[in-house]
Amino acid sequence: MTIPDFQTLMRPALAHLADGQVHRSREVKEAMSDLYELTPEERAQMLPSGRQRTIDNRVAWTLTYLSQAGLVDRPSRGHLKITDSGREALTTHPERIDMKTLEAYPAYIEFRERTREPSPEPTAPLQTAEISGTPDDLAVATPSDLVEQARRTNRAAVEGDVLKQALALSPTGFEDLVIRLLEKMGYGRAGSVERTSATGDAGVDGIISQDPLGLDRIYVQAKRYAVDRPIDRPRIHEFAGALLGKQGDRGVFITTSRFTRGAEEEADRINARIELIDGPKLAELLVTYGVGVQADETVVLYRLDEDFFETL
């Protein structure tokens, strides 16, 4: 039997998790190999890069898509657990679950929308993945097109995962994450970046000193909230008050959630300059600056150097 594609593996992989227990991803990969009775040669088959087994790569992408749709949860590194939505999907779709099926889930639609948005920096880690699309689409796609689609899909998946991990941190852990990000972005390079919430500095979680004397300062507020708990106008007003108390005129408010329109209007209205960074933007920055992610695989495309041959 040939190695199944990642969409074919979606329902069997989800069914393997149906007992509600926490499973290791490695276990799921081996279970799929057994289910499809792969030969030793098929189990050992590697990607062209030679860095990962083909079946492992396909199951990994299967689990990524199921996770992005909210059918599978990742309680800890390398561990998986089916969600209530996942159990419902098994009942609703007894034959097959694929990318078309996942379009019924808002979380998946949000994930797909992120894959269509160009990233500011092409530095996200890249994994080899199956490319979606009709045969006609794939027939006219160039290798560069396919690599770019894979890169965007990977970027969107990693951004979704890193935001989930950020949301799972403790409040102080999230503040430390924000400080680490700001340092990687180059803030405080000539001065310092420090977390202040532990010292009881009300209304401010961090201070960026842009110069050694601390004369040029940016104040930071970091809130680890779920998406259904948006940051509203009063929160921005309180932060502006904290800036006023410190005679500051610049601040950045970072959250895993989102900002209401009222919050955005309040940030524009007040005299101090306050930058708002919501969950999607935070995830984008974390990946761009390599905080909480690792480069996994790179692809190099070559083209003919016609000038070289004309000189011979």
Side-chain angles (χ1 to χ4, degrees):
M1 179 177 290
T2 58
I3 302 174
D5 63 82
F6 81 106
Q7 294 192 74
T8 299
L9 288 164
M10 285 185 180
R11 194 183 189 285
L14 191 61
H16 184 76
L17 303 174
D19 61 5
Q21 301 299 311
V22 175
H23 294 261
R24 292 182 176 274
S25 57
R26 166 57 59 186
E27 173 198 331
V28 179
K29 293 170 184 176
E30 292 303 324
M32 294 302 99
S33 297
D34 293 340
L35 177 66
Y36 286 93
E37 300 179 343
L38 299 186
T39 65
E41 292 75 19
E42 289 169 335
R43 293 171 188 251
Q45 179 180 314
M46 304 293 286
L47 294 174
S49 66
R51 296 184 59 184
Q52 187 180 28
R53 295 196 308 170
T54 300
I55 183 61
D56 289 354
N57 178 265
R58 293 185 180 179
V59 174
W61 276 100
T62 293
L63 298 174
T64 290
Y65 277 90
L66 293 175
S67 174
Q68 294 299 323
L71 306 187
V72 168
D73 188 25
R74 299 179 186 268
S76 60
R77 180 179 179 181
H79 292 79
L80 307 154
K81 185 177 182 180
I82 194 170
T83 65
D84 291 340
S85 295
R87 290 192 183 89
E88 182 181 349
L90 289 174
T91 302
T92 307
H93 306 284
E95 298 297 328
R96 178 179 171 88
I97 294 175
D98 52 25
M99 293 170 69
K100 186 66 177 177
T101 307
L102 300 184
E103 290 177 359
Y105 298 90
Y108 178 74
I109 296 300
E110 181 183 347
F111 161 66
R112 288 303 300 269
E113 287 301 317
R114 293 200 305 272
T115 69
R116 298 187 178 98
E117 298 174 358
S119 302
E121 298 289 342
T123 56
L126 176 68
Q127 293 180 353
T128 303
E130 310 295 335
I131 303 299
S132 62
T134 66
D136 289 341
D137 292 335
L138 300 182
V140 300
T142 68
S144 295
D145 293 334
L146 299 179
V147 169
E148 175 61 15
Q149 183 176 347
R151 187 190 69 79
R152 289 190 181 185
T153 300
N154 172 254
R155 175 96 185 199
V158 173
E159 287 180 359
D161 288 341
V162 78
L163 188 59
K164 289 180 181 178
Q165 290 295 318
L167 189 57
L169 294 172
S170 67
T172 55
F174 179 64
E175 292 165 6
D176 288 337
L177 175 69
V178 166
I179 295 301
R180 186 78 61 86
L181 172 62
L182 294 173
E183 289 175 333
K184 289 296 290 285
M185 292 175 69
Y187 289 102
R189 186 166 294 164
S192 63
V193 180
E194 60 179 313
R195 182 166 67 86
T196 61
S197 62
T199 63
D201 200 346
V204 173
D205 296 323
I207 299 176
I208 303 170
S209 297
Q210 294 287 72
D211 62 277
L213 297 180
L215 300 176
D216 185 13
R217 290 187 167 189
I218 301 174
Y219 295 91
V220 181
Q221 179 72 273
K223 292 298 180 185
R224 180 191 54 87
Y225 288 170
V227 177
D228 59 357
R229 187 183 176 187
I231 303 297
D232 53 14
R233 184 189 297 270
R235 286 289 187 179
I236 303 301
H237 185 75
E238 292 171 3
F239 184 43
L243 293 184
L244 181 63
K246 296 180 178 298
Q247 298 182 332
D249 61 356
R250 288 183 297 167
V252 56
F253 200 122
I254 302 177
T255 181
T256 50
S257 182
R258 58 185 177 85
F259 297 96
T260 64
R261 181 178 296 274
E264 294 173 348
E265 292 174 348
E266 182 69 9
D268 290 336
R269 184 190 65 83
I270 60 180
N271 292 329
R273 179 181 177 182
I274 298 180
E275 294 294 330
L276 305 181
I277 298 179
D278 61 11
K281 182 63 176 179
L282 172 61
E284 176 186 307
L285 291 172
L286 288 169
V287 175
T288 297
Y289 288 93
V291 179
V293 299
Q294 294 180 340
D296 181 48
E297 186 172 345
T298 58
V299 172
V300 177
L301 298 182
Y302 295 91
R303 63 176 175 81
L304 179 66
D305 186 349
E306 295 179 357
D307 293 338
F308 169 79
F309 284 96
E310 288 179 358
T311 63
L312 299 179

